[in-house]
Amino acid sequence: MSTLRDLAEEHTHLRPADIDHLHRIAGDWQLLSDLSFADLLLWVPVDADGTFLCVAQVRPTTAPTAYQDDQVGRIVGGPEVAHLGVAYSQGRIWREGDPVWYGDVPARHEAIPVRLRTAEGEAGEVIAVVGRDTNLSTARTPSQLELNYLTTADDLAQMIADGTFPPPRHPGETTSAPRVGDGLVRLDAGGKVTYASPNAQSAYRRLGYASHLVGEDLAALHRRLAGDPLDGTEASNGILAALRGEAPPRREIDARGATMLTRALPLMPAGVPIGALVLVRDITEVRRRDRALITKDATIREIHHRVKNNLQTVAALLRLQARRVSMPEARVALEESVRRVASIALVHETLSMSSDEAVEFDGIVDRVASAATEVAATEVSVGMRRRGSFGVLPAEIATSLVMVLNELLLNAVEHGFPPADEAEEPRAPAASGMVPVAAPEVDPSLRPEVVVSAHRFRKMLHVSVTDNGRGLPPGFDAERASRLGLQIVRALVTGELRGTIELRAGANGGTEAVLVVPLARNTPDGRSQA
């Protein structure tokens, strides 16, 4: 389905600023829908002949919907949208008319003009219309709660027509909480409570306030209730700011082991401050879980830090042992083990600084590549380059993949660009009895280089390690190669990573190793999990 922006850009001549304002309304109008007990439909004019296009719709959580079918994308003209034309052309809220029927559902139409205020703060022209359509099939005498909801909804509707609702959103805030059903408090112009919903009363009771809220000065009450004076002052100042017509950020109040989130909205229909609307939500359990997760995350990071330290200790011990070994082959084997252990330690070092079990892998690859050029036994200066991005990888993939790349990079440097004396000598016969051949010469005009490429496609990670060195020997078979490094690579790729690897001649000479690794993992119940 097309988005609000897609529909508006395709069918209308609205400016980007107009469309952004419509997005803000659609992001915050669940509040108005719930208070109105009505569906809200956002209509934009298509042609001068009175045709309108529905670009967004929201249904109430407090009442049955008037529409079983989604109306977004519907273009309507003629008598059916005459009320929208009146609101759009005259710039006023339309409430006249008899109920209409949608199948077996009677509904009442209302139309609210949408204005975007100018940079000077004046009411601008009407850019759209909000249709407020109420299902009348369950109509009855409204309760005190419903009357207060409807009164507040009318005030917010007038603010939409004035261009003062919704208020600007503060950085980092979402529009999901609190909602009308969580708890609603209405204040008069002096900050006294004129109405508090039962859920709001329960939320304050959990903070330790057992009396009725009606008649209380809410700003003063927040200062008294808050366990932290600073939190109480901020929550109180938020109420006072809303009474002045401002839109303060959301605040939390902690008291007696409970936590309540508050959102204060100014009520100023026709530009006249008449009070404020305060939405409250008990988030005690949410914050308790957050604290438990923070403690768990800190513990996991500490474990990764200690694993990294232990691996570095193992690497240091192997390095010391290598210095005491007189056999060159044994020393080389120990030094290779040091590098393998160090590459795993890099992953745990990154995880120890992360808040989850995933790592930004590009930095790890760059460090491993830099280390490979420094420790490889070659006299040639080899450049390393990364193309594309690995992105964020889960730890279970990163740990095995870093070892694979470490081996492939070392092989590319050491065997693609061997020392001069080795390059001049013929290679020894292979175990298969292959005839010795002289090593192919490397084109001296080419700068020795190894390129690591990565991209994602359909939940698969495609990686290649390419060099422009002397290439593979004739008859080379990766499956029968006896080198420990290649055995480790095959075991990790086909086992831990459940992927595939292919070693082949590069398109322009040299060698290319191609890996394909699935980014999804199967859960114990057999489902795929990214």
Side-chain angles (χ1 to χ4, degrees):
M1 178 178 291
S2 299
T3 64
L4 186 159
R5 186 175 300 276
D6 293 336
L7 291 169
E9 290 178 348
E10 181 180 355
H11 296 279
T12 73
H13 299 288
L14 292 174
R15 301 165 300 178
D18 298 334
I19 298 176
D20 289 341
H21 184 62
L22 298 184
H23 263 292
R24 286 193 294 272
I25 289 178
D28 222 352
W29 67 349
Q30 184 69 59
L31 169 64
L32 178 59
S33 177
D34 290 343
L35 290 171
S36 302
F37 306 100
D39 291 71
L40 301 183
L41 286 76
L42 186 56
W43 297 93
V44 294
V46 177
D47 296 312
D49 61 357
T51 303
F52 285 85
L53 165 68
C54 180
V55 295
Q57 177 182 1
V58 64
R59 292 178 170 87
T61 62
T62 52
T65 180
Y67 300 96
Q68 296 302 320
D69 298 325
D70 200 281
Q71 303 296 303
V72 175
R74 185 178 175 214
I75 298 178
V76 185
E80 187 175 352
V81 292
H83 61 298
L84 302 179
V86 172
Y88 183 78
S89 61
Q90 300 182 13
R92 66 176 180 85
I93 297 178
W94 185 94
R95 291 194 175 96
E96 306 90 49
D98 297 325
V100 296
W101 290 80
Y102 294 106
D104 297 331
V105 178
R108 181 177 63 245
H109 274 329
E110 295 179 70
I112 306 164
V114 177
R115 283 188 175 88
L116 173 62
R117 299 188 75 82
T118 65
E120 293 75 22
E122 299 178 355
E125 62 183 6
V126 178
I127 60 174
V129 178
V130 171
R132 183 163 60 167
D133 301 337
T134 306
N135 185 334
L136 299 178
S137 60
T138 57
R140 55 186 174 79
T141 303
S143 64
Q144 184 184 10
L145 179 146
E146 292 168 336
L147 287 173
N148 277 277
Y149 276 21
L150 292 171
T151 301
T152 305
D154 288 342
D155 292 334
L156 293 180
Q158 185 60 54
M159 291 173 65
I160 288 180
D162 298 336
T164 57
F165 183 87
R169 190 179 305 170
H170 295 272
E173 286 190 347
T174 63
T175 58
S176 59
R179 293 190 174 187
V180 170
D182 297 325
L184 179 145
V185 179
R186 173 141 183 166
L187 307 180
D188 62 18
K192 298 292 182 65
V193 177
T194 60
Y195 176 76
S197 70
N199 284 347
Q201 189 73 54
S202 298
Y204 278 94
R205 185 173 292 112
R206 191 163 186 181
L207 291 179
Y209 184 75
S211 302
H212 291 291
L213 285 169
V214 175
E216 282 289 334
D217 184 327
L218 197 64
L221 178 62
H222 283 183
R223 280 195 297 269
R224 296 200 308 269
L225 289 178
D228 186 337
L230 179 60
D231 289 345
T233 301
E234 289 182 347
S236 174
N237 290 341
I239 300 296
L240 298 176
L243 293 172
R244 293 193 300 267
E246 303 172 11
R250 298 166 199 190
R251 304 293 186 186
E252 292 185 9
I253 302 177
D254 292 302
R256 299 192 178 186
T259 305
M260 185 175 72
L261 176 65
T262 67
R263 182 190 184 191
L265 294 170
L267 294 177
M268 42 189 306
V272 179
I274 62 171
L277 174 67
V278 182
L279 300 174
V280 300
R281 181 184 180 186
D282 183 357
I283 57 170
T284 304
E285 297 305 318
V286 175
R287 288 294 172 259
R288 186 172 298 163
R289 289 195 297 268
D290 287 345
R291 287 190 290 269
L293 288 174
I294 291 173
T295 302
K296 180 181 177 181
D297 288 342
T299 302
I300 292 174
R301 288 199 298 271
E302 178 62 22
I303 290 172
H304 283 300
H305 180 71
R306 294 188 181 188
V307 170
K308 183 261 296 184
N309 288 344
N310 290 340
L311 289 172
Q312 289 180 336
T313 301
V314 171
L317 292 173
L318 291 173
R319 194 176 294 112
L320 287 173
Q321 187 65 42
R323 293 173 183 172
R324 294 175 177 269
V325 172
S326 58
M327 296 178 60
E329 295 84 356
R331 186 182 301 112
V332 170
L334 288 172
E335 289 173 351
E336 288 180 349
S337 298
V338 169
R339 292 194 291 269
R340 289 164 184 148
V341 172
S343 66
I344 300 175
L346 275 178
V347 176
H348 287 281
E349 180 182 7
T350 306
L351 287 169
S352 69
M353 297 181 290
S354 173
S355 59
D356 53 23
E357 286 294 290
V359 295
E360 183 66 50
F361 201 68
D362 290 344
I364 294 177
V365 173
D366 294 343
R367 292 174 65 180
V368 170
S370 177
T373 59
E374 293 175 0
V375 303
T378 180
E379 300 172 358
V380 182
S381 176
V382 181
M384 287 283 182
R385 184 161 55 94
R386 175 172 53 82
R387 188 166 53 202
S389 175
F390 288 82
V392 177
L393 296 179
E396 60 179 349
I397 293 179
T399 303
S400 299
L401 186 58
V402 73
M403 285 196 66
V404 170
L405 291 176
N406 180 60
E407 297 295 336
L408 293 176
L409 289 169
L410 285 171
N411 280 342
V413 174
E414 292 184 349
H415 299 286
F417 311 96
D421 55 348
E422 180 183 336
E424 294 171 356
E425 297 176 0
R427 298 180 186 175
S432 60
M434 183 177 61
V435 177
V437 294
E441 294 185 359
V442 178
D443 186 349
S445 65
L446 293 176
R447 176 180 180 271
E449 186 179 51
V450 178
V451 180
V452 182
S453 303
H455 73 276
R456 298 184 180 213
F457 181 69
R458 293 181 179 176
K459 296 186 179 180
M460 303 292 285
L461 177 64
H462 298 256
V463 183
S464 67
V465 178
T466 309
D467 66 70
N468 58 358
R470 65 179 182 177
L472 296 170
F476 175 80
D477 184 359
E479 297 295 330
R480 299 170 60 186
S482 59
R483 287 186 58 85
L484 177 61
L486 289 179
Q487 292 178 0
I488 291 175
V489 167
R490 286 200 308 272
L492 289 175
V493 171
T494 59
E496 295 294 325
L497 297 175
R498 285 174 284 180
T500 60
I501 181 169
E502 179 185 1
L503 290 175
R504 64 194 183 195
N508 300 314
T511 305
E512 183 178 26
V514 180
L515 291 82
V516 180
V517 177
L519 293 173
R521 290 291 183 263
N522 290 329
T523 59
D525 58 4
R527 292 180 299 176
S528 178
Q529 177 179 346

